[in-house]
Amino acid sequence: MKAEVIIPILIPMLAGALCLTCWRWRLVQRWISVLSGAGLLVASLVLLHKVQHDGIQVAYMGSWPAPYGITLVADLLSAIMVVVTGVIGLAVAVYSLATMTRSHEAFGYYPLLHLMLAGVTGAFLTGDIFNLYVWFEILLIASFGLMILGGERAQMEGAIKYVTLNLISSAMFLTAVGLLYGYAGTLNMADLAVKLNGPEQSGLVTVIAMLFLVAFGIKAAAFPLFFWLPASYHTPPVAISAVFAGLLTKVGVYALYRVFSLIFVQDTDFTHGTVLMAMGIFTMVTGVLGAAAQFEVRRILSFHIISQIGYMLVGLALFTPLAVAGGVFYIFHHIIVKTNLFLVSGVMYRYHGSYDLSRLGGLYRSAPWLAALFMVPAMSLAGLPPLSGFFAKFTVIKAGVLEGHWLMVAMALIVGLLTLYSMVKIWAEAFWKGLPDEAKPLRGQQDPHLYVLYGPIVVLALITLTIGFGAEWFVQLAMATAEQLLSPAGYIEAVLGGSQ
Amino acid sequence: MENLFAFVVGGLYATALFMMLRRSVVKLVIGLIILSNAANLLIFTSGGLVRGAPPLIPEGLYQPVGAIADPLPQALILTAIVISFGVLAFAVVLIHRAYEVIGADDVNEMKSTDS
């Protein structure tokens, strides 16, 4: 039994349970929440260290060997994702100390947040495809609760779309699992990889692969399945939007990376080269065009999530070591940057009481530090050197050039420019231009909790800078991850080797 | 038996889709309920149907004798039923609350957050 693999799931789960028992003592809940965020970060760093030095870690639940029992597997991709979850969990726990109102806390914000984090880490660590479904449902139902916290009209409308689309995606996931079990007779991912990649597979496998693609594509908000995202992500309180924006769609992307590198590699010309590539390119373009048309900060940011998902899908679609490494780099860079941008938008709201760019202005004069802190994630998202986004985009595009996929390269470059355009739009409207007359007066400076809000933003910006300036180390890590993903023999050996 | 189940599953998927495409939110949720049950039945069918053969191993042996029912699909469905029940209970509360806040059952009235 490898405790390192289980602890990152146990910590948020226990924290959620403890918060439930301390329902009336909100101060206790806050402390539990911050401590568990820190604990999760430490545990995930231990796990990453262990995986880097001792190889893939496997834990058999109930000591049932694979493929009979449920296995938890931590390879490099899982470990990296868990580390990023820890970073975001801690940052959001601290940020919510100052932004969550009394009523949000009274209706169970902290328990829901931690149960959602438990679902996310569980989904990253599981090695069984039905178990993946169960973790997805855990994180979904917690996120449903978070989505409607506060109960405003916009939240209800957003939640109905969010809930419906996610339930349809879950039903599709379950259908695909059923067909897969009927075909292969197993649900352990490593075992499936062995059984499905023998000689002579029927076309049914590709059909099942496409079902999984649609199910995970809805959760990842890929083209043409993303319309629930811009309709719902900007409605909840900003700390919740931030954690949704950073983590939840990336769980879908992670699931795509997992099944399309391990299990469904029979017909890569069709599944990766055609379908995923088309999906990725369209996701990039439609997302950024949506962002360019919007005039509300959080809506712009929501559309950018979609556009960046496209880059990750393109990385998977090219399916070369460099491209997959670029995609992995993109995932962890983007989670941090996007969460940070949402957190910054929350501080902007603190100053002028609006997310609408036409009602914002003059922030450069009133909050110069916020302006500097906004520039770091914004320019990183747009891909300006030497920030983290540049290396992520550069790796993906370089892989495209090496493969000679010029259409994708051209689209990626154009989308990068348009991203820059919409980030500059936020900059010019919110920070640069004067404050419009009808806008509310400044109220941020009287806010005693402002330093609590700046804390996580500064730390996340520093992480972005670290990834940018220490890119060598992170690119190496992403390359090692890609190697591991593209040669699944090691994964299969680690999971099934213990039982034979 | 499998043929009958195939028709039932197909019928349920069709009904679910039809209900979900209506404009009423109540019918949308009914469609979702039917959809999740259709997926459960599909797992059950594709796992193989065996009648009246419990997966028990006689004493002293390590392998079952003769044909047995595969217990795994049943375990999967049991889990899936519990999960979908919880999620759908949430969905029912959500539409009730949404009806109170928005004052309409029509999805066409819920476009203010679309962009």
Side-chain angles (χ1 to χ4, degrees):
Chain A
M1 190 66 85
K2 298 267 176 41
E4 293 90 355
V5 188
I6 307 164
I7 289 175
I9 304 178
L10 279 184
I11 290 177
M13 202 174 249
L14 280 177
L18 273 176
C19 286
L20 278 177
T21 56
C22 303
W23 187 264
R24 279 158 176 258
W25 300 293
R26 291 201 302 277
L27 194 66
V28 182
Q29 286 193 26
R30 291 179 183 188
W31 276 104
I32 294 172
S33 153
V34 172
L35 285 178
S36 112
L40 176 61
L41 181 58
V42 172
S44 62
L45 286 171
V46 170
L47 177 68
L48 179 62
H49 185 260
K50 185 99 176 156
V51 171
Q52 271 186 311
H53 287 265
D54 301 347
I56 296 170
Q57 301 289 310
V58 184
Y60 302 104
M61 295 297 98
S63 297
W64 282 88
Y68 303 109
I70 290 169
T71 39
L72 296 181
V73 191
D75 67 347
L76 274 175
L77 179 62
S78 310
I80 292 171
M81 298 301 283
V82 174
V83 170
V84 186
T85 310
V87 173
I88 300 304
L90 181 58
V92 170
V94 173
Y95 191 85
S96 27
L97 293 180
T99 50
M100 280 300 137
T101 63
R102 198 169 269 270
S103 67
H104 292 147
E105 287 181 341
F107 283 107
Y109 167 67
Y110 291 113
L112 286 172
L113 177 69
H114 286 290
L115 290 175
M116 196 193 81
L117 288 178
V120 171
T121 49
F124 289 152
L125 287 173
T126 184
D128 179 291
I129 211 152
F130 187 77
N131 209 223
L132 183 66
Y133 166 77
V134 175
W135 288 117
F136 261 122
E137 293 300 306
I138 291 174
L139 77 88
L140 276 182
I141 196 153
S143 73
F144 294 164
L146 288 173
M147 173 69 75
I148 58 161
L149 214 57
E152 290 164 20
R153 179 183 170 136
Q155 285 181 297
M156 289 300 160
E157 295 187 10
I160 283 184
K161 287 153 201 160
Y162 180 73
V163 169
T164 309
L165 261 294
N166 274 298
L167 289 186
I168 292 173
S169 140
S170 294
M172 217 168 244
F173 190 178
L174 206 56
T175 308
V177 167
L179 291 176
L180 195 58
Y181 182 74
Y183 183 77
T186 179
L187 290 173
N188 184 293
M189 291 194 211
D191 202 25
L192 278 172
V194 175
K195 291 217 165 102
L196 293 186
N197 290 321
E200 281 185 47
Q201 292 298 333
S202 73
L204 183 62
V205 180
T206 308
V207 173
I208 298 173
M210 290 299 104
L211 264 177
F212 274 109
L213 181 69
V214 174
F216 294 145
I218 292 177
K219 291 188 199 293
F223 179 86
L225 312 160
F226 61 74
F227 293 98
W228 57 271
L229 192 148
S232 62
Y233 264 26
H234 61 281
T235 56
V238 70
I240 297 173
S241 290
V243 73
F244 279 16
L247 280 178
L248 286 193
T249 45
K250 256 56 91 202
V251 184
V253 177
Y254 163 83
L256 283 175
Y257 266 72
R258 178 63 70 208
V259 299
F260 279 94
S261 70
L262 183 64
I263 304 174
F264 299 117
V265 287
Q266 293 83 14
D267 192 4
T268 44
D269 280 348
F270 174 68
T271 52
H272 294 67
T274 310
V275 180
L276 267 172
M277 179 59 82
M279 230 172 154
I281 292 176
F282 275 113
T283 311
M284 279 195 294
V285 175
T286 45
V288 86
L289 290 179
Q294 293 295 321
F295 221 67
E296 204 244 48
V297 179
R298 289 192 298 175
R299 289 194 182 194
I300 296 177
L301 296 178
S302 298
F303 271 105
H304 273 303
I305 302 173
I306 300 165
S307 146
Q308 314 288 318
I309 295 286
Y311 282 94
M312 299 167 203
L313 292 182
V314 163
L316 178 61
L318 283 173
F319 212 53
T320 61
L322 190 67
V324 174
V328 171
F329 196 115
Y330 218 112
I331 294 175
F332 64 71
H333 134 76
H334 181 253
I335 293 179
I336 287 168
V337 165
K338 181 55 75 179
T339 308
N340 201 2
L341 280 172
F342 268 90
L343 297 183
V344 170
S345 80
V347 179
M348 285 156 73
Y349 183 81
R350 277 293 168 111
Y351 274 96
H352 291 304
S354 176
Y355 291 107
D356 195 339
L357 284 178
S358 59
R359 291 173 172 276
L360 285 168
L363 276 169
Y364 181 71
R365 178 171 293 169
S366 51
W369 284 107
L370 185 68
L373 285 170
F374 171 77
M375 283 308 261
V376 174
M379 293 302 116
S380 178
L381 193 76
L384 257 61
L387 295 159
S388 58
F390 169 72
F391 296 99
K393 276 200 175 66
F394 177 74
T395 321
V396 172
I397 290 172
K398 187 179 164 196
V401 170
L402 289 180
E403 284 292 295
H405 209 300
W406 298 109
L407 177 67
M408 174 239 131
V409 172
M411 285 303 165
L413 290 172
I414 294 171
V415 171
L417 272 181
L418 285 171
T419 313
L420 185 62
Y421 159 73
S422 50
M423 284 298 133
V424 168
K425 182 167 78 181
I426 299 182
W427 170 260
E429 294 286 331
F431 291 93
W432 209 245
K433 78 162 193 248
L435 189 63
D437 293 335
E438 74 270 25
K440 293 182 186 168
L442 235 60
R443 51 178 200 179
Q445 269 130 355
Q446 295 94 32
D447 198 331
H449 301 302
L450 214 57
Y451 65 95
V452 185
L453 297 179
Y454 275 118
I457 294 176
V458 171
V459 172
L460 291 180
L462 284 179
I463 294 174
T464 307
L465 288 173
T466 315
I467 297 176
F469 286 105
E472 181 65 26
W473 191 83
F474 289 93
V475 170
Q476 292 297 334
L477 184 64
M479 284 304 288
T481 311
E483 298 281 328
Q484 221 174 47
L485 284 176
L486 290 183
S487 51
Y491 184 93
I492 295 165
E493 167 66 23
V495 175
L496 296 179
S499 63
Q500 283 158 3
Chain B
M1 197 65 174
E2 264 93 353
N3 291 337
L4 175 64
F5 267 72
F7 277 112
V8 172
V9 170
L12 284 178
Y13 270 98
T15 318
L17 269 179
F18 177 73
M19 291 303 269
M20 285 192 298
L21 291 173
R22 310 286 292 271
R23 270 166 54 182
S24 155
V25 186
V26 177
K27 287 170 185 158
L28 173 73
V29 171
I30 293 173
L32 287 173
I33 295 172
I34 297 174
L35 187 68
S36 73
N37 284 309
N40 290 340
L41 261 187
L42 182 109
I43 297 183
F44 196 53
T45 316
S46 73
L49 296 171
V50 181
R51 194 167 180 176
L56 298 173
I57 301 171
E59 216 174 328
L61 291 181
Y62 288 100
Q63 277 189 340
V65 186
I68 57 160
D70 187 351
L72 195 72
Q74 306 186 7
L76 300 183
I77 295 168
L78 204 54
T79 317
I81 287 174
V82 173
I83 291 174
S84 64
F85 184 74
V87 175
L88 291 168
F90 177 86
V92 170
V93 177
L94 174 70
I95 60 162
H96 175 67
R97 194 70 192 111
Y99 180 74
E100 282 182 349
V101 175
I102 302 168
D105 178 40
D106 188 339
V107 282
N108 274 8
E109 304 283 315
M110 301 179 187
K111 289 196 287 203
S112 74
T113 61
D114 285 352
S115 25

